[in-house]
Amino acid sequence: MYHMKILSRISVCLFLGAILVVPRGAAQTGSLQFVARVTPSGGIDEPVRSFPFYLLSKSYEDIQKEAAVTAPGANMNAFIDSLEVSKEMKAWMKTNQWVNLSGENFIKKLKTDDVMNVPEFFHAYVERMIGDSTVLFPTPKYKPEDKVKDPDKYARLKKQYLDAVRAFLAQNPTSTDGIDLSLEDVNPGHKWDMLKAQGQTDTSRETRQLAQAKYLIARADTDLQGQGYIRGLRPGTYWLSTLDIDATAGDARERWDVAVTVRPGGPTFLTLSNVNAAPAQHASIR
């Protein structure tokens, strides 16, 4: 009889404990309710309808940095090393971190020493100026055969010519305009653009895969009002993201990577708009 009473008391305690523990555990979860709207220029805001949103345990921006370690994209210095150009050209490209030898931005980077010391630049510049009959450009007085017959004369006359070209260039700094037309055959800019685009594609693919395989908590598609719901979330900070997918409305192209802190119990509300869209500052709801 005594043992029966003890077992009965234990059963009652366990039952009461279960009653107390279960609701408390259930109260620890929260939910997220959000609405997404995009406003085009000169227009009114429109709901982002039937659009996938991803709740992540890490910001998409930080996931991109993590993915860049395993899929770093194109390496400019390695690309430069692979080129069949002069060592002076490679040194200039690495110093300037620039490989596109055309356009106004390239011309602005050229200094007198660059033109004089990089063989490809010098030959392109001379070719450009020789073809311009409106200017009095220096002409070389040394002859190729003098290099063997009279090396001293050859060296002296060549130095005079180079000094004259340098002086002309210093007095006419805009004379480098159009030099890029003669560099088209050695310009690796187009090849680099293709390689860089492929590297960016690889990094983007790695980022998406990493986000969905390692950091995805939940996914929700918005309804016709642009609203989405995610329930049963543990309290904590998450990031509501569209990954690298743009939501469009007119001329507006928006994507989000917004921090949100989910509270236990009641729902947490979040509004997504042009204001907190990437690459603008990431909003944090607490």
Side-chain angles (χ1 to χ4, degrees):
M1 187 66 179
Y2 175 75
H3 293 293
M4 292 288 291
K5 290 182 178 180
I6 293 178
L7 290 174
S8 177
R9 289 177 182 176
I10 292 175
S11 298
V12 170
C13 289
L14 290 175
F15 176 74
L16 292 174
I19 293 176
L20 294 174
V21 171
V22 172
R24 186 180 301 171
Q28 291 303 307
T29 62
S31 62
L32 174 63
Q33 298 184 20
F34 64 93
V35 60
R37 307 183 74 87
V38 174
T39 307
S41 300
I44 59 175
D45 61 329
E46 300 180 16
V48 181
R49 303 180 177 91
S50 302
F51 199 87
F53 282 83
Y54 302 83
L55 192 67
L56 307 174
S57 59
K58 185 175 184 177
S59 74
Y60 195 70
E61 181 180 3
D62 287 340
I63 297 173
Q64 286 178 317
K65 295 176 183 178
E66 182 178 342
V69 176
T70 55
N75 183 289
M76 181 175 285
N77 285 344
F79 173 74
I80 293 171
D81 286 335
S82 71
L83 298 175
E84 295 183 359
V85 296
S86 68
K87 62 180 181 180
E88 293 85 358
M89 172 77 85
K90 291 181 179 181
W92 182 89
M93 288 179 171
K94 288 184 178 180
T95 298
N96 291 274
Q97 283 296 285
W98 196 269
V99 296
N100 188 3
L101 308 181
S102 67
E104 184 178 351
N105 290 332
F106 162 66
I107 298 297
K108 288 180 178 179
K109 291 181 178 294
L110 288 179
K111 299 179 176 61
T112 298
D113 283 344
D114 299 331
V115 176
M116 297 303 300
N117 297 332
V118 178
E120 291 89 345
F121 294 166
F122 182 79
H123 294 317
Y125 177 68
V126 170
E127 180 179 326
R128 153 96 175 84
M129 298 313 300
I130 289 177
D132 189 347
S133 59
T134 64
V135 298
L136 188 61
F137 190 72
T139 56
K141 294 183 172 60
Y142 61 91
K143 299 177 181 179
E145 56 266 25
D146 289 338
K147 190 172 184 179
V148 177
K149 293 180 179 179
D150 193 343
D152 292 339
K153 178 182 178 182
Y154 177 86
R156 184 178 69 258
L157 293 178
K158 184 175 182 179
K159 183 178 184 305
Q160 290 177 0
Y161 172 69
L162 294 177
D163 289 344
V165 172
R166 178 182 288 275
F168 180 91
L169 180 54
Q171 293 172 4
N172 302 274
T174 61
S175 61
T176 54
D177 292 349
I179 188 177
D180 49 345
L181 298 177
S182 298
L183 289 168
E184 188 59 34
D185 289 343
V186 296
N187 183 11
H190 305 305
K191 184 178 179 181
W192 168 249
D193 287 342
M194 293 176 61
L195 188 64
K196 184 170 62 172
Q198 180 59 51
Q200 290 172 342
T201 299
D202 293 343
T203 302
S204 296
R205 184 186 303 111
E206 179 67 20
T207 304
R208 288 193 301 271
Q209 292 176 348
L210 192 60
Q212 296 184 66
K214 184 177 179 180
Y215 297 107
L216 180 63
I217 301 300
R219 168 181 160 161
D221 291 350
T222 53
D223 59 20
L224 295 180
Q225 285 71 47
Q227 298 177 343
Y229 307 88
I230 301 175
R231 298 177 175 83
L233 295 172
R234 291 179 179 273
T237 298
Y238 302 93
W239 282 263
L240 191 61
S241 173
T242 55
L243 306 186
D244 56 356
I245 308 170
D246 290 334
T248 63
D251 61 346
R253 303 286 186 274
E254 305 293 359
R255 62 181 68 173
W256 289 274
D257 185 30
V258 182
V260 54
T261 298
V262 174
R263 300 181 297 272
T268 298
F269 298 94
L270 174 63
T271 299
L272 302 173
S273 67
N274 297 45
V275 176
N276 56 4
Q281 64 180 0
H282 302 302
S284 181
I285 306 300
R286 294 186 182 277

